[in-house]
Amino acid sequence: MRSLLVAACAAWAVASSGAVAQGAYPERPVRIIVPFPPGGPADVLARIVGDKLGQSLGKPFIIENKAGAGGNIAAQHIATALPDGYTIHLTSVGPMAVAPHLVKTLPYDPKRDIAPITMGVVFPNVFVVPSGVPAKTLAEFVAMAKQRPGKLTYGSSGVGGAGHLAGELFKERAGIDVLHVPYKGGGPAMTDLLGGRLDMYVGVPSTVGPHVDAGKLRALATTGAKRTSMMPNVPTVAESGYPGFEAINWYAFVAPARTPKDLLDFWNRELTKALNDPKIVAELAKDGLDPAPGTRDELAQYIERESLKWGKIVREANITAE
């Protein structure tokens, strides 16, 4: 049965590859698989880029949300999807660079089963505290934590996610003991944060920004190498006394590993054109998303660096899957 499936996959791939050579590709609708629920940054990226690709290629782009397990469910779907070029996937740091160090029985191998296409967008996390927490700066929060080791809490949207990793990396750099409280998504975490049941939260600017503007939360620092346009007055962690600190979110476009090279190259060209379009850049900027398209090799090398970086943090912080 498995040999028949492999043969069928190869036949579909060859047919699609031939269509590229003839200039007739794509001949039917294309799916973009999003690893998170509707409404978040990944979903926003997929819909904006999907609309642009639909206009330029003359075929519908269907957004399909496959949320769960921090993106690992969607990653497993990538590994088993037909390599015919009609399914593009978004992925992120969790399933590509963290899960292999965190989950002992991971049902896919990012290096073996998933082919890089291009980086999509990058964006920082932001450390925020409720307005009732006295710390006005990151330095003041660190001082509070050192006065009360193990007593303060910080929340994230889940174990092994970008927010959790940023928090653990900062704890290591700052030499503080703060208890991580994982949630199953950003919504429940925000509820507890706004209710004063968390001392700090590591979220994304588009989610916490409205609450910061309303005075309910206070932004202490962002985690990128440079300030974000959504919060230009908020310093980075590096500016706040921790040079070289960087812990960013990213979403990249990938495909099943058996997808033919000319199909991967086709999507790299089309996605790069879409992500470099000034209108798309401006639209994504509204949600704090910075397009960062590049070559397939550049994405593969970046994922490898991320895997080495976060694998070290997983081991040193003794992070385990829920």
Side-chain angles (χ1 to χ4, degrees), residues 21-45:
Q22 296 168 21
Y25 177 80
E27 299 175 301
R28 53 187 171 85
V30 178
R31 292 188 305 159
I32 300 180
I33 306 298
V34 179
F36 301 108
D43 190 65
V44 168
L45 169 64

Side-chain angles (χ1 to χ4, degrees), residues 2-14 82-84:
R2 180 175 176 80
S3 61
L4 290 175
L5 179 60
V6 171
C9 289
W12 270 307
V14 169
L82 290 175
D84 61 358

Side-chain angles (χ1 to χ4, degrees), residues 14 17 39 62 95 101 110 114 131-132 145 160 171 175 180 185 189 197 204 207 209 226-227 245 262 284 291 301:
V14 169
S17 181
I62 302 166
H101 306 285
I114 299 173
S131 57
K171 283 168 57 177
H180 174 236
R197 291 179 287 277
V204 297
T207 299
K226 60 181 182 179
R227 296 192 183 196
F245 185 97
D262 59 347
L284 291 171
Q301 292 166 13

Side-chain angles (χ1 to χ4, degrees), residues 123-129 138 154-156 162-164 166-167 190 193 200-210 212 217-224 228 230-237 245 247-249:
F123 55 105
N125 297 287
V126 56
F127 293 163
V128 294
V129 296
L138 195 59
Y154 84 92
S156 78
H164 181 199
M190 288 298 297
L193 181 69
M200 186 173 76
Y201 177 63
V202 188
V204 297
S206 59
T207 299
V208 303
V212 172
L217 300 178
R218 184 181 307 116
L220 302 183
T222 57
T223 64
T228 173
M230 288 197 75
M231 296 180 169
N233 296 322
V234 178
T236 65
V237 173
F245 185 97
I248 61 171
N249 293 277

